[in-house]
Every structure is written in C-alpha cells, then in structure tokens.
Amino acid sequence: MQRIRIASAVTSAALVVGIAATGALAASSVIPQAEYRAKDAKLTISADGRSFQVFALPVKQECKDPTPANLGDYPSGLGPFSLDADGSFEFSSPGGLGLEGKFTAKKVTGTVTASAFKDPTKDFDCAKYTGRFSARFVKGSGQKPGKIIASDDFSDVDSGFKEFNTTNAFAQYLIDDRYRVGLQGQTGIASPRAEPTGLTSVDIESQTLTYGGDPTDEVGLVCQAVDFDTFTVGTISQNGAAQLFRYEDGVIVERSSEKQAPAGVLNTGLGAKNTLKLVCRPDGDGGTSLELFVNGESVAEAISAVANAGQTGVFVSGSGNGTDYNFSNFIVRVPKS
C-alpha cells in the first residue's frame, strides 16, 4: 500500500475506501467548553464538544433520617457523558443516576433520576427520585460559534508553520506575507501549524494562490492533525475535482468520492486566487462530519470514522512539475451551528 509522507511519492492507487458521502450536515447547538449553572446545578461541555460532565444536580431524594448532606453534589465531576450532535443526551450511570435532556446555546434542560439506596453503616435509607432540572449558559464561558481561535497573516516567520527543504518538497515564508509550499518531485505534504492544538471541532479558512503545476495537482486545508502523517484534509485540484481524505501514519485510510466543483466556482490559471474553507465537526457517533468550501460554495461533504484532537494546517500534493501554491490569511474559528 502506497505511503504518503514528506518527500515520498503520491499515487491515486492506494487505499482503503471508508469515508461515506453525506447530505446536509446536522446543525449543532453545542458550545465547546461552555458552562451551565443554576442554584443547584452545574454542567460543563468538553473542549471537543462531544461530551459533558456533571458537578451538581437538584437531586432531592426523600430519606429516612438522617439525610445525606451531599445529595446531587459531585465535586470531582461525573462523566464524561456523550452528547449527540444536536446537543441531546440520555444515559444511566452504574451508580444509579440517569439523565435525559438537551443542551442549547442558552440553556440545558432535562430529567434526572436517582435510584433508591441504603447504607446501613450510616443509617441512610433514601427513596428513588425523578425530577426536572435546568441551568443557563454562563456568559463568557465556552467557544462560541464563529469565534476566531487563531489567525495568521504570515508576516511573522515564527507564527507556527515550518520552513523546510527536502528532496521533493519545500515550504517558506515570503516577504510579502505569504506561506509558500512547492513540490520538486511527485509527493504530497501536510504542514500543520504549531498552535492551536487539541482541536476536534474547527472551521479553517485560507486564501490560496496558484503559481504552477499540473491539472491534477491539489491544494487543501488540514484538520485533526496529530502530526505530519496523521490528519484529515479537504482538497481541490486545478481541474476542479474536490475530495476529502483521512491519513494515518502517512497512509490514506479513508477517502470520499470525488466531486467536481460547479462550473465557475474555482478560479484557474497562473496567479489564480481562491478561498478555501474546511469545516470539521464531531458527528456524535465517534466520527467527524466534514465539509469543504471553495469561494463560499460547498463542493464536498463526508463523514469520517474518527474524531482526533489535533492541529490545523495546509496541504499540497501533485506531480512536482512546477507545483507551487501560496497561502495567505489563515483563520481558525469555532464552527457555526
């Protein structure tokens, strides 16, 4: 199986097909790292927006004297518990706590169930409890949809992208505030940005300039990059073919079907400028919903099998016959719901 690394050959032959095509992506109201509070409730969303923890709930069990003082209080946090893409949840924990409800951008509401329990050593004898709970979003917490996490105008050579020159590929910062990636031989290369890290749900945008290459040469944006060899990428070729891939250890392990961008969407020719956007969002089943845009037009959608936390970056692949792309105005955002 063909392996794709820095300075290694790229081929369209290789590959385990696995990314499934999808229709419109489900909207999500989950705000990563958001906190929700009420007088007797506290819940927090994880950094990737796929789960949450519970720190307090209004559990009001009736108990024969005495009554435990810490009912509904979980200072170390219960969970994490999985969230669906639309913010809903339903589960029962081994300790007898059950939750069902939904998070929105403004509040969380649901039902809590606590099993009856006895503890003879402390004379506790408490009945089963079922009740409603709600808590409101804490202003200032969380990564709000559309919020800029990072931006790079490539005016600083220490902004986080690597400069290198290998047998088949090179990358450099240019004095006119661009980042150049070129190929000197047939290869494919991802260049992740050092910061931010640990992102699973992300919206990446950058302008690209085409300065050379063959019609099948590709340029793209990268999300969920664990390193140079393990990442997810959306690409568009100079002939308008769009596709989504996932690499592990330099090998393509998933690829979507190839889609042709609508006529007139992609600017072509020497010096052609295009704006690419890649949206990567956990889908609630352990995978990632992916969507690639070119100049504001959606050109490819798919769902991959995993949702890694990682870096963002850029990608170039092709024959090396003059393959030369420049990037400018690189922006990383929280995806909009």
Side-chain angles (χ1 to χ4, degrees):
M1 180 176 288
Q2 177 67 42
R3 299 177 69 81
I4 301 176
R5 297 181 183 275
I6 295 177
S8 65
V10 101
T11 176
S12 60
L15 342 105
V16 180
V17 176
I19 297 185
T22 179
L25 299 180
S28 174
S29 59
V30 175
I31 302 175
Q33 296 183 320
E35 183 175 315
Y36 295 78
R37 281 183 180 267
K39 179 180 178 181
D40 47 8
K42 178 183 176 183
L43 304 91
T44 61
I45 305 293
S46 63
D48 63 10
R50 295 176 57 199
S51 62
F52 69 100
Q53 283 190 287
V54 176
F55 293 89
L57 284 172
V59 177
K60 301 175 181 179
Q61 288 171 273
E62 292 187 4
C63 304
K64 297 178 181 178
D65 289 338
T67 298
N70 61 344
L71 286 178
D73 185 19
Y74 317 105
S76 299
L78 296 179
F81 303 113
S82 296
L83 279 171
D84 291 338
D86 66 352
S88 61
F89 54 88
E90 182 178 1
F91 67 88
S92 295
S93 70
L97 181 71
L99 284 179
E100 180 178 355
K102 186 174 182 178
F103 285 91
T104 69
K106 294 183 178 180
K107 64 180 180 179
V108 56
T109 58
T111 302
V112 55
T113 301
S115 299
F117 71 93
K118 294 182 179 182
D119 185 346
T121 62
K122 298 180 181 180
D123 292 328
F124 291 154
D125 185 356
C126 299
K128 180 179 178 179
Y129 170 80
T130 299
R132 299 284 299 172
F133 73 92
S134 66
R136 299 197 66 81
F137 171 74
V138 177
K139 186 176 180 180
S141 71
Q143 296 288 343
K144 292 187 177 180
K147 179 180 179 179
I148 294 177
I149 303 171
S151 62
D152 197 332
D153 63 3
F154 300 109
S155 61
D156 180 0
V157 296
D158 296 318
S159 69
F161 285 92
K162 287 186 178 295
E163 293 188 296
F164 54 83
N165 191 356
T166 69
T167 302
N168 288 339
F170 65 90
Q172 62 185 147
Y173 284 80
L174 302 178
I175 60 174
D176 56 351
D177 301 343
R178 287 180 282 165
Y179 182 64
R180 181 189 185 192
V181 179
L183 306 182
Q184 300 161 143
Q186 189 178 51
T187 194
I189 182 167
S191 180
R193 190 172 188 267
E195 297 289 342
T197 61
L199 300 178
T200 303
S201 183
V202 68
D203 176 326
I204 312 147
E205 183 178 296
S206 183
Q207 289 185 345
T208 67
L209 291 163
T210 305
Y211 283 108
D214 292 331
T216 56
D217 287 355
E218 298 171 312
V219 62
L221 299 176
V222 167
C223 71
Q224 301 184 2
V226 177
D227 53 34
F228 277 80
D229 294 329
T230 299
F231 56 89
T232 297
V233 60
T235 68
I236 184 80
S237 67
Q238 293 187 27
N239 63 15
Q243 206 160 7
L244 297 151
F245 302 87
R246 183 168 66 86
Y247 288 69
E248 286 186 2
D249 297 327
V251 176
I252 298 175
V253 294
E254 292 187 284
R255 61 163 47 190
S256 70
S257 58
E258 187 177 278
K259 299 291 184 181
Q260 189 67 31
V265 169
L266 180 71
N267 298 316
T268 60
L270 182 65
K273 180 185 291 186
N274 293 284
T275 299
L276 305 188
K277 181 168 79 166
L278 177 65
V279 179
C280 307
R281 183 186 291 116
D283 72 346
D285 294 320
T288 302
S289 295
L290 308 168
E291 188 167 15
L292 177 67
F293 297 81
V294 176
N295 297 322
E297 184 85 16
S298 176
V299 295
E301 296 179 74
I303 297 177
S304 73
V306 302
N308 291 323
Q311 298 159 276
T312 60
V314 299
F315 178 87
V316 172
S317 71
S319 65
N321 184 25
T323 308
D324 191 337
Y325 288 99
N326 289 185
F327 297 86
S328 62
N329 299 322
F330 185 86
I331 300 174
V332 181
R333 298 183 178 92
V334 177
K336 292 182 179 179
S337 57

